[in-house]
């Protein structure tokens, strides 16, 4: 059975957002060590408790610090972005981690 994680990069009360981002990176490394197949990152905006507002940036950091686990976006909101820009970002991510990047899109 293939297991995956969906991480919203949530902020904890009394901790800085930078700590939450570091927690996301550490969780991805732990998931890889435990044999998980994929690590999905969500995209949410205007929510004070969710700091993962730029999944493609987090994906690059995770891809650069892991070796095997697939890394994906759980819903890039295409109506808000240029399709060309999204394609270019994910082409670069694919170059960072060949065969490990997944693009999920939302509306």
């Amino acid at each position: 059975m293939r297991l995956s994680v969906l991480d919203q990069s949530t902020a904890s009360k009394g901790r800085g957002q930078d700590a939450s981002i570091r927690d996301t990176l550490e969780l991805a490394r732990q998931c890889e060590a435990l044999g998980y197949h994929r690590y999905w990152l969500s995209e949410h905006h205007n929510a004070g408790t969710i700091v993962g507002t730029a999944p493609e940036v987090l994906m690059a950091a995770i891809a650069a610090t892991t070796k095997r686990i697939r890394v994906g976006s759980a819903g890039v909101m295409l109506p808000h972005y240029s399709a060309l820009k999204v394609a270019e970002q994910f082409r670069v991510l694919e170059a960072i981690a060949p065969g490990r990047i997944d693009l999920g899109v939302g509306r």
Side-chain angles (χ1 to χ4, degrees), residues 37-50:
H37 177 67
R38 180 177 288 118
Y39 196 87
W40 288 102
L41 294 155
S42 66
E43 178 176 349
H44 292 281
H45 301 279
N46 299 321
T49 58
I50 298 178

Side-chain angles (χ1 to χ4, degrees), residues 5-69:
V5 168
L6 172 61
D7 186 355
Q8 295 185 324
S9 302
T10 55
S12 300
K13 187 174 182 177
R15 294 185 72 216
Q17 292 185 355
D18 57 329
S20 296
I21 297 296
R22 287 192 301 277
D23 288 347
T24 286
L25 297 174
E26 179 57 28
L27 181 58
R29 288 189 291 269
Q30 291 288 330
C31 288
E32 181 175 64
L34 291 170
Y36 280 73
H37 177 67
R38 180 177 288 118
Y39 196 87
W40 288 102
L41 294 155
S42 66
E43 178 176 349
H44 292 281
H45 301 279
N46 299 321
T49 58
I50 298 178
V51 299
T53 57
E56 58 282 340
V57 175
L58 286 172
M59 288 174 66
I62 290 168
T65 60
T66 58
K67 292 178 175 54
R68 176 201 55 76
I69 197 166

